Amino acid sequence: MEYTELSSTTFQIIDQFCQKAFELDETKEYFIKTGVFSSKFDFRNAYIHDAKEVKEIGEYLLFISFQASCFAHYDLSGRNQPSIYGAATTNEWVVREFIKDKENNPCIYKGLPLHTEYRVFIDADTKEVLGINPYWDPDVMKKRFGKEADANNPDMVHDYVIYAAHEKTLMERYEKNKEKVQREIMKLLPFLDLRGQWSIDVMQNGEDFWIIDMALAKDSALLSCVPKDKIKAVEEDWIPRISIKEL
């Protein structure tokens, strides 16, 4: 059913399902996403942080699933209608315990703490680190906040000011720790049961480093930090093979 057709009874059923499926604790804080979309750019929908919201977590998950489909042909004016099903569609939901900020970082995207983050590209076949880049890349971020059509939007102005003020801290932490992050990722590679090339996102929180996301390298931004001769072409075959016996 379309999100706009769902009733309050449906929401209550989904909320109750999530309480059991995720073994939720109303005293904890959570970060939620679908299998392909986190809504972190509108962080108030991704961060669940009081007992009422924990009870309604199913409704939040339903909404960000809907939001992802609305963004399928997104432009800077906001969500578009109708929603389009495809790359943003998934039957997976993820609920993680929220990692509380130890560093008192400023926030962008309506509440997202601006941690130092590292995007590491790896080749799971050759067991090597291909490249590393600051996740909050200065050129990318200042272009997004300051040079797009919505640059005068109050939220964009706010985020530009916050990012510009915090950029020096972010980049100093990045330069200080990027080699350490690469070494630690190298230690993990022999144990990864994966094939192909991937991006791995690492978030720094004080002296702690957390792997918070992964994706296929070909689908990841910031791939320019990888030498072109290291990038492998990837073929995707979506055509199912049906044998005569199955028929």
Side-chain angles (χ1 to χ4, degrees):
M1 294 178 64
E2 294 290 338
Y3 177 81
T4 52
E5 297 174 356
L6 299 178
S7 68
S8 59
T9 300
T10 302
F11 289 142
Q12 291 173 21
I13 292 170
I14 294 295
D15 288 336
Q16 291 174 23
F17 166 78
C18 287
Q19 296 297 315
K20 294 181 179 180
F22 295 111
E23 300 179 352
L24 298 174
D25 182 339
E26 293 179 11
T27 66
K28 291 185 177 181
E29 299 177 349
Y30 296 98
F31 175 80
I32 63 172
K33 66 190 294 289
T34 73
V36 295
F37 183 77
S38 71
S39 191
K40 70 181 180 184
F41 302 114
D42 194 3
F43 198 65
R44 59 193 170 186
N45 293 319
Y47 174 38
I48 306 299
H49 56 84
D50 62 40
K52 181 178 184 295
E53 291 185 357
V54 173
K55 289 178 181 177
E56 298 172 349
I57 203 167
E59 297 174 53
Y60 281 88
L61 285 162
L62 280 172
F63 176 75
I64 63 174
S65 295
F66 167 67
Q67 186 183 36
S69 295
C70 289
F71 283 150
H73 60 132
Y74 172 74
D75 62 31
L76 296 176
S77 66
R79 295 199 317 273
N80 291 280
Q81 295 294 330
S83 57
I84 294 178
Y85 299 97
T89 308
T90 175
N91 60 3
E92 298 170 332
W93 284 349
V94 181
V95 176
R96 301 170 175 164
E97 288 193 34
F98 183 71
I99 302 169
K100 294 184 179 181
D101 182 12
K102 294 181 177 181
E103 301 167 328
N104 195 30
N105 288 299
C107 295
I108 59 173
Y109 297 140
K110 305 180 181 72
L112 174 66
L114 196 51
H115 290 281
T116 303
E117 296 184 30
Y118 310 75
R119 173 156 286 180
V120 186
F121 289 90
I122 62 109
D123 190 313
D125 299 323
T126 61
K127 307 299 182 187
E128 63 180 320
V129 170
L130 302 174
I132 188 170
N133 207 83
Y135 183 86
W136 304 114
D137 183 277
D139 292 337
V140 174
M141 299 305 293
K142 288 188 283 192
K143 179 177 182 295
R144 170 65 192 97
F145 295 143
K147 296 183 179 180
E148 299 289 356
D150 61 345
N152 290 328
N153 179 291
D155 289 325
M156 294 300 106
V157 174
H158 170 274
D159 289 354
Y160 189 102
V161 171
I162 292 297
Y163 180 83
H166 201 48
E167 178 186 347
K168 183 172 184 289
T169 298
L170 290 173
M171 295 310 298
E172 285 178 350
R173 289 176 182 162
Y174 172 81
E175 293 297 334
K176 179 181 177 181
N177 293 289
K178 67 180 183 181
E179 292 183 3
K180 174 182 178 180
V181 170
Q182 291 181 90
R183 288 197 303 270
E184 294 301 316
I185 293 295
M186 278 293 297
K187 293 178 184 178
L188 295 176
L189 295 184
F191 305 99
L192 288 183
D193 186 19
L194 294 172
R195 294 181 180 179
Q197 296 182 335
W198 295 76
S199 66
I200 301 176
D201 293 339
V202 178
M203 183 184 80
Q204 182 177 351
N205 189 28
E207 297 302 314
D208 298 328
F209 294 81
W210 299 81
I211 291 177
I212 57 172
D213 205 1
M214 291 183 66
L216 292 173
K218 71 177 185 65
D219 297 330
S220 302
L222 309 174
L223 188 59
S224 59
C225 72
V226 178
K228 290 185 178 179
D229 62 340
K230 290 283 189 178
I231 301 174
K232 296 176 182 176
V234 178
E235 293 185 5
E236 295 190 41
D237 184 0
W238 298 103
I239 301 175
R241 301 293 187 264
I242 301 175
S243 68
I244 295 177
K245 289 181 180 180
E246 290 174 338
L247 294 175

